[in-house]
Each structure stands twice: as structure tokens, then as C-alpha cells.
Amino acid sequence: MKRLLLLIILIAANGFIVNSQEIYKDGFLPQHLTEEEKERIHEIHQDKTATDPPVLPARSIAEFEPMSGALIRYPLGIPYSLVALISEEVEVVSIVANQSVKNQAISDYQNQGVNMDNVSFIIAPTNSIWTRDYGPWYIFDGNNEFGIVDFQYDRPRPQDNAIPGIFANENNFNYHHMGLVHTGGDFMSTGMGIGASTNAVYSVNSSLTPAEVDSIMELFLGIAEYHVIPNIHGGLSHIDTWAKFLAPDKIMIREVDPSHQYYDLAEQAVAYFESQTSSYGTPFRVYRVYTPDNEPYTNSLILNDRVYVPTTGSPWDDTAIAAYEAAMPGYTVYGVFYNGWWSTDALHCRVREIADSEMLYIHHIPILNDQQAHDDYELNVHIIPMSGETLYADSVKVYYQVNDGDFSSILMAAEGDHWYSASIPQQDIGSEISYYIFAADASGRREN
């Protein structure tokens, strides 16, 4: 990638000032540390005092859970076509440096077909476009209250580092700081107590033991099982550049040819996750996406029932989209072409989803193993309307299908404390049952 080394004070397009910084040709800092920042790396350890933890137990929210928006920085590092696509589905929240920059963003968005009814702004200075890396993390605490979890960004970029606190304040959300150095591109969660990062999280928090790091992740995020594993390629140690949780029991990992320099590491990562127990109590189901020329396909974004996959004009773009469609039936998969995607820095790095703080949350451990043919199949489901609105009792149903037949429905019974139960009737030997759970609440939310 072409870079310029500026040896003078530069006022960049977004209004921030950098001194002797390495600047990309588009006018923003790179995702990696610049040479100047390497001399200031000690600064990231100067302000990482932890707040009180959330009410226990906390629960980290997964990317594939209900989302209300997406956080980006303007001037952009993504195509306007992506902003327009996202605005069809959720609110686009843009961080802008001042009112003048906001006015320019509004003009550009209008000219590019963005749905302005789904656009809002946060006025705050930033150092870069990497909202994934420095943006807020989301939890529900033990009282089912939504909250923001912050960390010390692993770059000496104080304006970026301040964004989670600003976001929490703007929205009046509960705010917690872990006291850890971390980055959003190197963390993913199943939403059910399992998380993953590369071992860079231990390296950057070298004053702590791995056990101490794990304990903090559990205390603030509810990550009871933290998979900290080697990076499978050189350069940026961000797990989102080569792997992605697609569901509580699914993970996508990049695939390369045996001749590729990172083939062995990629296959070791596959073997590792195949040997691990998912949040459903079963081995992780590992899906692969072919990246022979280091295409950034795992650096995708899930927003509700849509998946946005970065495409580069590679002959393998269509194969990548098909891989996601196979792994995520029921989702609409969009290929998003942009000349500015790089192998370790693409769409996911530059967009931070915003969790729905009032989601209708359905928690269920599915029946996935063989069952006795002559017993009913009991289902227990935890359903919480985080909006505080009434859950429509007559909406809480399990829909089931035997083999390839029609779906039938059963009304679930309330058991107290947001628990519901129902039994799918016994079936003949050899039958295969598929089922899903549906609920709706007075906020207008409907979830499967």
C-alpha cells in the first residue's frame, strides 16, 4: 500500500493534528502502529484504571445478535454504497470532528443515496477510521441492564481511545472500564460465555498473568471460556482478519493452499476449534472460506439478517459469498466491492455494530443429538424483552417440522422468571426434527 511519511505538522481532513506521523495516502493513520507511535507505546499503559465491574453475571453480546445500528467515522474508509446498504436496515451513527464536517457528511450521504432517516452523528475528534478497534463493547449485566465496556486501546491515540466513553455518555448507557489494554478487532464472542482473541492480548498486558487477564474478561464480559490462540498469519494480530464466529456453535476460518506460507497455522487453528466445545455443548462447526491470495473475506460484518462480505474483484469473490450462504442459511449475503480493502484490514475493521439495547433476547440450548423415539422432546427457553415491554404470551411458540413436512406450532407455557417450556411430541424411529422458537413483545420486536 502506498504511504507518505510526513515530517511536518499536518492538519488532516478530519481535523486532528499529528506530528511526524505516517499517513496513508487517503489522509488517515494506518491500522498498525506507525514508527512514531512505536516510540510512544508506553502511553497506552498510563490510563487504564478499572471502574467497578458490572452487576454479575455480565454477558457479552455477540455480533450475530439483534443490532440497532452501526458506528463509523467520517471522512470514510468504506464505500458510500456500504453506508447506503446499512442505512436500509439500521441506524448509521457517524463520528465527525465538528459541525462543518457533519454538514459535509450530510451532503455526501444525500448525494450517495443514504437513507437519511437512519442517520445520526456524534461530534468528537478522532485519530483514525478504525471504529472496530477502538469502539465500544456491549453487555447486559446481571440485572439485564445494557452497558458499555471499555478498554485501553492498544494504540497511543487518545482521541480514538475516548470514543467508548463518549458513546456511553451520549446515549446515557452504563459505563465500565476493564483496565485492560485490548482492541476490538482481536476479540469475538459467542454471546454465551465464550470468547476468542490472539495471544497478543497477553503480550500487550505483560504486567498481568494470563490467568489475571482471563479473570478480568470474565468479570466484565462474562467470558468464562476464553480461547487465546496464536495468530495464523504475519503482521496484524487481529483475529477478525482470519476467523469469525457466525453463531454460538459456528466459526468461519480462512483456507489457503498447502503451498501457502500460513497453511499449517490455518489448519492448526481449524483442528483447535474442532476439538473445542461450543456454547451449545457440541464441538464447534468449522466453516472455511478460500483466500488463496490473502483476500479479506473473513473480515465481514453481520447486521441482523444481513452479512456484508468485502470483495476485491478476485475470481474467488463469488465462491466466498457462496461459502457464507452455505454457512448461514436464512441470511442475505452482500458482496461489497472497494479498492481500499486490504488483506488484514477491510470492512469489519472499519465498522462497529451497535447492539440493540432493548432487544428481545431468546436464550436456548438446542437439542442436537439423537433422542429416544418414544419420548416427547422437552424444550426450555429463556426469553427476556430487554425493552421492559410486555411479552405477548400467545406469541411464544415453538415451530417444528418432521422430516420435510409442514411446520406445526406449539404454544409455550410460562414457567416464571422469563422461562418458557414446551414438548415436541414423540416421533417414529429415524425421523428428523427441525425446530425454531418465536416470540414478540409490545415494543414491536419479533425474534426467531
Side-chain angles (χ1 to χ4, degrees):
M1 61 196 79
K2 185 178 179 181
R3 298 174 294 184
L4 300 176
L5 186 62
L6 302 191
L7 299 178
I8 59 175
I9 293 178
L10 172 72
I11 300 180
N14 65 346
F16 66 83
I17 300 175
V18 291
N19 185 17
S20 301
Q21 287 278 30
E22 185 180 14
I23 304 296
Y24 277 173
K25 60 183 175 62
D26 297 323
F28 50 78
L29 288 170
Q31 195 177 30
H32 60 257
L33 286 163
T34 67
E35 292 303 314
E36 190 267 350
E37 286 174 334
K38 291 176 183 178
E39 299 298 321
R40 297 169 42 232
I41 196 66
H42 61 280
E43 293 178 15
I44 68 174
H45 297 281
Q46 292 178 354
D47 180 24
K48 57 186 183 74
T49 302
T51 65
D52 290 336
V55 175
L56 300 180
R59 186 183 73 81
S60 169
I61 298 172
E63 183 177 326
F64 44 77
E65 294 191 53
M67 295 291 151
S68 64
L71 182 67
I72 60 176
R73 202 292 305 263
Y74 178 94
L76 302 174
I78 58 176
Y80 286 104
S81 60
L82 177 60
V83 182
L85 268 176
I86 291 174
S87 72
E88 294 175 359
E89 172 75 6
V90 297
E91 181 182 14
V92 176
V93 181
S94 300
I95 307 169
V96 293
N98 51 49
Q99 185 64 44
S100 176
V101 177
K102 176 182 175 180
N103 293 340
Q104 184 60 54
I106 291 171
S107 176
D108 287 346
Y109 288 174
Q110 290 172 334
N111 291 336
Q112 296 292 332
V114 175
N115 177 9
M116 299 307 293
D117 291 336
N118 277 345
V119 168
S120 65
F121 295 91
I122 293 175
I123 295 179
T126 53
N127 300 111
S128 70
I129 63 171
W130 320 112
T131 55
R132 168 69 46 187
D133 291 342
Y134 59 75
W137 294 359
Y138 314 107
I139 60 164
F140 284 107
D141 68 16
N143 290 331
N144 295 324
E145 291 188 6
F146 184 78
I148 299 301
V149 171
D150 198 359
F151 50 91
Q152 187 70 12
Y153 184 29
D154 69 350
R155 301 285 184 268
R157 299 175 184 177
Q159 293 173 344
D160 289 349
N161 190 47
I163 291 300
I166 293 170
F167 181 86
N169 186 62
E170 289 265 336
N171 293 281
N172 197 30
F173 291 144
N174 294 336
Y175 174 85
H176 311 278
H177 197 294
M178 294 193 295
L180 277 183
V181 178
H182 218 314
T183 182
D186 197 33
F187 173 66
M188 58 184 183
S189 165
T190 67
M192 297 174 69
I194 294 177
S197 298
T198 73
N199 49 23
V201 66
Y202 291 158
S203 298
V204 77
N205 290 286
S206 57
S207 63
L208 301 173
T209 67
E212 288 171 330
V213 171
D214 293 356
S215 177
I216 292 170
M217 295 294 288
E218 182 170 11
L219 186 65
F220 282 85
L221 296 164
I223 300 300
E225 188 172 352
Y226 194 23
H227 296 284
V228 178
I229 55 180
N231 193 27
I232 72 167
H233 59 67
L236 197 68
S237 292
H238 287 191
I239 201 166
D240 70 348
T241 63
W242 54 268
K244 187 178 192 68
F245 284 141
L246 307 179
D249 66 336
K250 295 181 182 180
I251 185 171
M252 178 83 80
I253 297 177
R254 69 175 296 200
E255 181 179 9
V256 295
D257 292 320
S259 59
H260 195 284
Q261 62 177 326
Y262 299 126
Y263 173 80
D264 289 341
L265 290 172
E267 297 311 301
Q268 289 170 18
V270 169
Y272 174 82
F273 277 104
E274 287 180 336
S275 70
Q276 300 302 309
T277 301
S278 75
S279 294
Y280 284 167
T282 55
F284 274 103
R285 292 187 281 172
V286 179
Y287 295 83
R288 309 300 300 273
V289 60
Y290 190 48
T291 60
D293 296 313
N294 300 319
E295 291 88 348
Y297 300 137
T298 59
N299 205 248
S300 61
L301 177 71
I302 303 170
L303 280 175
N304 299 325
D305 61 354
R306 296 182 173 197
V307 185
Y308 304 96
V309 179
T311 58
T312 62
S314 163
W316 300 103
D317 287 350
D318 290 343
T319 302
I321 291 171
Y324 276 93
E325 290 173 339
M328 306 179 73
Y331 288 77
T332 301
V333 182
Y334 295 88
V336 181
F337 175 79
Y338 186 48
N339 283 324
W341 303 143
W342 300 310
S343 62
T344 58
D345 166 24
L347 191 159
H348 191 259
C349 294
R350 308 178 191 188
V351 183
R352 179 61 169 125
E353 70 279 354
I354 300 172
D356 182 0
S357 63
E358 299 186 345
M359 71 172 66
L360 177 54
Y361 176 59
I362 300 177
H363 172 91
H364 173 63
I365 304 296
I367 301 173
L368 294 172
N369 300 317
D370 290 345
Q371 304 293 308
Q372 291 293 326
H374 301 299
D375 292 334
D376 291 346
Y377 316 113
E378 185 177 355
L379 309 180
N380 295 288
V381 186
H382 207 199
I383 305 176
I384 306 175
M386 298 299 188
S387 64
E389 298 289 344
T390 301
L391 184 67
Y392 294 130
D394 60 355
S395 76
V396 183
K397 296 180 179 180
V398 56
Y399 288 81
Y400 73 95
Q401 174 193 55
V402 181
N403 299 323
D404 294 322
D406 295 331
F407 275 93
S408 301
S409 67
I410 303 171
L411 187 66
M412 302 195 80
E415 302 292 349
D417 196 27
H418 302 293
W419 283 97
Y420 293 80
S421 67
S423 294
I424 296 174
Q426 59 183 266
Q427 301 296 326
D428 294 334
I429 293 174
S431 298
E432 182 176 83
I433 300 174
S434 304
Y435 71 93
Y436 67 93
I437 294 144
F438 173 82
D441 67 21
S443 74
R445 289 168 173 81
R446 301 159 58 89
E447 291 297 338
N448 295 314

